[in-house]
């Protein structure tokens, strides 16, 4: 069965997480992604290792379905090989610091000359301006994109989210830009530059907080549980932040993840009162409408928690869903990795690796009916040098041996 991006070739100069997360999606969609690494390899091959001298899970879980070649871009021969490679690819992706590829001798203008159809995608920490040359990491992007200031409890410090919205979130934005440029090229025949900044991607994911920042000019944010409001959006703990109030309530036996998140819609209030053994509250004028409940959301969720604390989260889940009440148990990483439904949906998958053996990874989250993704293992360092340099660029065995001996590949 033909893949959606079959025939599309990606020269992947990305490393760590933001770039590899983008190119991995492209690989899952069927593109031929060739990871171009320094002779020492992507730094994450050695980071956070759980097994000695084996590619880390950090690397393997972000680089599946790719091929790997090595190249020393500081050498003249390496630069010439890079030119030869660029001519054969549709997309070049990188997430080095600002200007790094330019300093290698390949600004966008030169890349366009080498391959006018090339789509050149770059992920940076920040856009043009005073932050442009600042170093960016996941939590730095969260801090400067609006996430941390609005995450946490009102009386606590700003918090980072466990979701990698700075790195992988930016990678997903980059995928959208790359695919748009690829589609436009079908009409124009020309490649173009695609740039995404981590700060900008995080801000895009935090847009509802900018919505609320502007609403503050007209009074308190009534759907927030906060008692006081200043001139900026406060941290609102586990409030849903939307039109329907929600909260994480405790369940038995009271462990760190024995919680379920419950959203109370107007239509759900009456059945909730039945479940918690307080049916009289359904028509009580002090509780019956969303408007009167809004001023005492903490008391409302405490009433629900008084009931849920005597049941485990799976029992609470079942009872709430019987009445079509939106809810979801807080799943630990252990529960997620063991969840049969996630395995059945091939979003948690097992992959064999020649050095580490079988491991569990995240599968393709985007499902296409006519071109399903197959998750294959990540490549070993330089595993495909012969395929690319020998078979495609026509280098002889002696040429390859010389390049390796001189540290070019």
């Amino acid at each position: 069965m033909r893949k959606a991006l079959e025939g599309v070739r990606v020269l992947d100069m990305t490393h760590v997480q933001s770039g590899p997360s983008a190119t991995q999606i492209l690989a899952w969609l069927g593109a031929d992604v060739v990871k171009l690494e320094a002779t020492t390899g992507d730094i994450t091959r050695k980071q956070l290792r759980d097994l000695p001298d084996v590619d880390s899970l950090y690397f393997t879980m972000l680089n599946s379905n790719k091929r790997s070649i090595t190249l020393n871009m500081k050498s003249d021969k390496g630069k010439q090989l890079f030119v030869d490679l660029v001519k054969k690819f549709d997309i070049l992706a990188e997430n080095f610091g600002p200007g790094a590829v330019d300093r290698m001798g390949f600004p966008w203008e030169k890349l366009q000359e080498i391959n006018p159809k090339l789509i050149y995608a770059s992920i940076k920490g920040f856009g043009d301006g005073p932050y442009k040359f600042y170093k960016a990491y996941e939590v730095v992007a969260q801090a400067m994109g609006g996430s941390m200031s609005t995450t946490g409890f009102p009386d606590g410090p700003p918090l980072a989210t466990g979701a990698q919205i700075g790195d992988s979130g930016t990678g997903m934005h980059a995928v959208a830009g790359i695919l748009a440029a690829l589609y436009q090229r079908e009409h124009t025949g020309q490649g173009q530059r695609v740039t995404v900044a981590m700060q900008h991607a995080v801000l895009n994911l935090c847009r509802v907080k900018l919505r609320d920042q502007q609403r503050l000019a007209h009074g308190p944010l009534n759907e927030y549980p906060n008692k006081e409001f200043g001139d900026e959006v406060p941290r609102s703990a586990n409030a849903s932040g939307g039109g329907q109030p929600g909260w994480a309530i405790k369940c038995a036996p009271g462990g760190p993840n024995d919680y379920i998140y419950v959203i109370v819609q107007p239509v759900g209030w009456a059945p909730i009162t039945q479940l918690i053994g307080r049916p009289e509250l359904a028509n009580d004028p002090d509780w019956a409408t969303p408007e009167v409940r809004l001023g005492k959301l903490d008391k409302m969720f405490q009433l629900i928690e008084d009931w849920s604390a005597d049941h485990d989260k799976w029992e609470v889940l079942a009872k709430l869903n019987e009445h079509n009440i939106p809810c979801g148990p807080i799943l630990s990483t252990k529960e997620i990795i063991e969840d049969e439904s996630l395995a059945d949906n091939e979003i948690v998958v097992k992959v064999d690796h020649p050095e580490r053996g079988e491991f569990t990874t995240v599968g393709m989250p985007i499902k296409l009916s006519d071109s399903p993704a197959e998750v294959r293992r990540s490549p070993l360092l330089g595993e495909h040098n012969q395929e690319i340099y020998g078979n495609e660029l026509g280098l002889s065995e002696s040429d390859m041996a010389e390049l390796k001996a001189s540290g070019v590949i």
Side-chain angles (χ1 to χ4, degrees), residues 31-354:
D32 176 21
V33 178
V34 177
K35 188 174 178 71
L36 179 64
E37 302 181 69
T39 53
T40 52
D42 185 324
I43 190 173
T44 59
R45 286 185 182 270
K46 298 178 181 179
Q47 282 187 341
L48 307 177
R49 274 178 166 163
D50 56 321
L51 296 172
D53 302 320
V54 173
D55 287 340
S56 71
L57 289 166
Y58 195 2
F59 178 85
T60 61
M61 293 179 71
L62 283 159
N63 291 281
S64 58
N65 293 52
K66 302 177 184 180
R67 297 193 284 170
S68 168
I69 59 175
T70 53
L71 186 64
N72 178 1
M73 291 284 291
K74 295 180 180 179
S75 66
D76 291 339
K77 184 59 178 176
K79 285 181 169 60
Q80 183 54 55
L81 286 172
F82 181 69
V83 170
D84 296 340
L85 287 168
V86 168
K87 294 175 182 178
K88 293 181 173 291
F89 284 81
D90 301 285
I91 299 160
L92 172 64
E94 61 90 15
N95 63 332
F96 294 111
V101 179
D102 294 30
R103 292 191 293 274
M104 294 176 190
F106 297 97
W108 167 229
E109 294 75 17
K110 183 171 183 179
L111 290 170
Q112 277 185 305
E113 291 177 7
I114 297 169
N115 182 355
K117 298 183 70 175
L118 184 71
I119 293 163
Y120 179 27
S122 296
I123 291 175
K124 303 302 173 193
F126 307 96
D128 290 337
Y131 311 136
K132 181 174 181 177
F133 293 100
Y134 289 10
K135 287 187 175 180
Y137 283 80
E138 168 65 45
V139 183
V140 172
Q142 289 190 32
M144 297 182 69
S147 177
M148 289 187 71
S149 68
T150 56
T151 302
F153 282 80
D155 56 352
L159 295 177
T161 174
Q164 303 290 283
I165 61 174
D167 277 323
S168 287
T170 305
M172 300 309 101
H173 283 75
V175 170
I178 289 168
L179 294 180
L182 195 62
Y183 180 77
Q184 186 171 350
R185 194 182 70 175
E186 293 298 306
H187 301 282
T188 66
Q190 294 293 312
Q192 63 180 297
R193 195 88 161 84
V194 176
T195 57
V196 185
M198 294 170 67
Q199 182 192 28
H200 299 172
V202 171
L203 179 55
N204 186 43
L205 296 173
C206 293
R207 65 173 64 207
V208 296
K209 299 302 181 181
L210 286 195
R211 171 202 69 190
D212 293 345
Q213 176 63 39
Q214 295 170 87
R215 290 172 60 219
L216 273 175
H218 305 286
L221 306 172
N222 292 325
E223 77 281 6
Y224 279 56
N226 306 66
K227 303 302 182 185
E228 298 179 359
F229 291 87
D231 60 357
E232 57 192 25
V233 175
R235 291 187 277 283
S236 57
N238 288 321
S240 68
Q244 310 296 336
W247 201 256
I249 58 175
K250 293 180 183 178
C251 300
N257 290 302
D258 289 321
Y259 288 82
I260 190 166
Y261 197 87
V262 180
I263 292 177
V264 181
Q265 297 174 311
V267 70
W269 177 241
I272 286 175
T273 63
Q274 293 287 336
L275 281 173
I276 67 176
R278 297 293 302 274
E280 74 279 5
L281 298 180
N283 297 309
D284 186 327
D286 290 333
W287 290 95
T289 66
E291 290 74 21
V292 297
R293 293 194 296 270
L294 204 57
K296 46 190 173 186
L297 293 178
D298 54 343
K299 295 178 181 178
M300 179 185 75
F301 285 111
Q302 185 60 57
L303 285 170
I304 302 172
E305 189 173 281
D306 289 343
W307 163 73
S308 66
D310 293 329
H311 309 276
D312 72 38
K313 62 188 178 186
W314 301 106
E315 185 180 358
V316 175
L317 175 69
K319 289 180 178 296
L320 291 173
N321 271 285
E322 286 177 6
H323 299 281
N324 201 31
I325 295 166
C327 62
I330 309 303
L331 297 183
S332 70
T333 50
K334 183 176 185 295
E335 288 170 320
I336 287 172
I337 210 167
E338 295 173 353
D339 190 295
E340 291 184 4
S341 69
L342 293 175
D344 292 342
N345 280 275
E346 297 183 335
I347 189 62
V348 173
V349 299
K350 294 186 181 298
V351 178
D352 283 318
H353 188 276

